[in-house]
């Protein structure tokens, strides 16, 4: 019914930048909150940043001042601009969205497939 597709991951040197994108498609009536999570090897999935439909944002302490989450509601897309990247930012990054389905008006929590971000020199 609803799919999230992430893009923008890759290999970058410490101190570099990357911009992740996540586009939602399918039977969408509206999208409430959207967010980015990450899971490093051998660790639990953790919250990175969230953004409400109105644009309010929250960030994990570890990324405050370095990462910026934004969204384009017309495109059903959420972005994560990552600057001053560190080795400990290496992880698979997942986007998440709270979607109201157009055909049924039911609420779904949808996850993307993940995109790998590797920070290494």
């Amino acid at each position: 019914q609803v799919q999230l597709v992430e893009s923008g991951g890759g290999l970058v040197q410490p101190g570099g930048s990357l911009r992740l994108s996540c586009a939602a498609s399918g039977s969408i009536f509206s999208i409430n909150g959207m967010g980015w999570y990450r899971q490093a090897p051998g660790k639990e999935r953790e919250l990175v940043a969230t953004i409400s439909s109105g644009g309010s944002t929250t960030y994990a302490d570890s990324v405050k001042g370095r990462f910026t989450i934004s969204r384009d509601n017309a495109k059903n897309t959420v972005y994560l601009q990552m600057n001053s990247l560190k080795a400990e930012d290496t992880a698979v990054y997942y986007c998440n969205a709270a979607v109201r389905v157009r055909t049924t008006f039911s609420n779904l929590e949808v996850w993307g497939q993940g995109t790998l971000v590797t920070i290494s020199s």
Side-chain angles (χ1 to χ4, degrees):
Q1 283 182 312
V2 179
Q3 301 82 37
L4 298 180
V5 177
E6 299 112 333
S7 60
L11 172 65
V12 68
Q13 292 185 342
S17 298
L18 278 175
R19 188 191 195 208
L20 305 183
S21 300
C22 172
S25 64
S27 183
I28 299 170
F29 178 76
S30 63
I31 302 178
N32 193 1
M34 303 184 82
W36 288 95
Y37 293 71
R38 67 186 181 187
Q39 187 166 18
K43 294 189 176 182
E44 298 282 322
R45 188 175 297 189
E46 64 175 0
L47 174 68
V48 175
T50 66
I51 185 166
S52 72
S53 57
S56 298
T57 59
T58 65
Y59 295 93
D61 288 343
S62 59
V63 307
K64 281 181 182 176
R66 300 188 298 123
F67 290 12
T68 302
I69 189 171
S70 61
R71 64 191 284 174
D72 184 333
N73 291 331
K75 295 181 179 180
N76 289 332
T77 299
V78 63
Y79 305 96
L80 186 68
Q81 177 66 44
M82 305 186 292
N83 299 328
S84 302
L85 284 161
K86 306 175 181 179
E88 51 263 43
D89 295 318
T90 295
V92 177
Y93 283 70
Y94 299 90
C95 69
N96 169 274
V99 177
R100 176 157 287 190
V101 178
R102 185 175 65 236
T103 53
T104 63
F105 289 97
S106 58
N107 295 314
L108 286 180
E109 183 179 28
V110 187
W111 290 88
Q113 81 286 354
T115 185
L116 178 62
V117 171
T118 303
I119 314 303
S120 176
S121 54

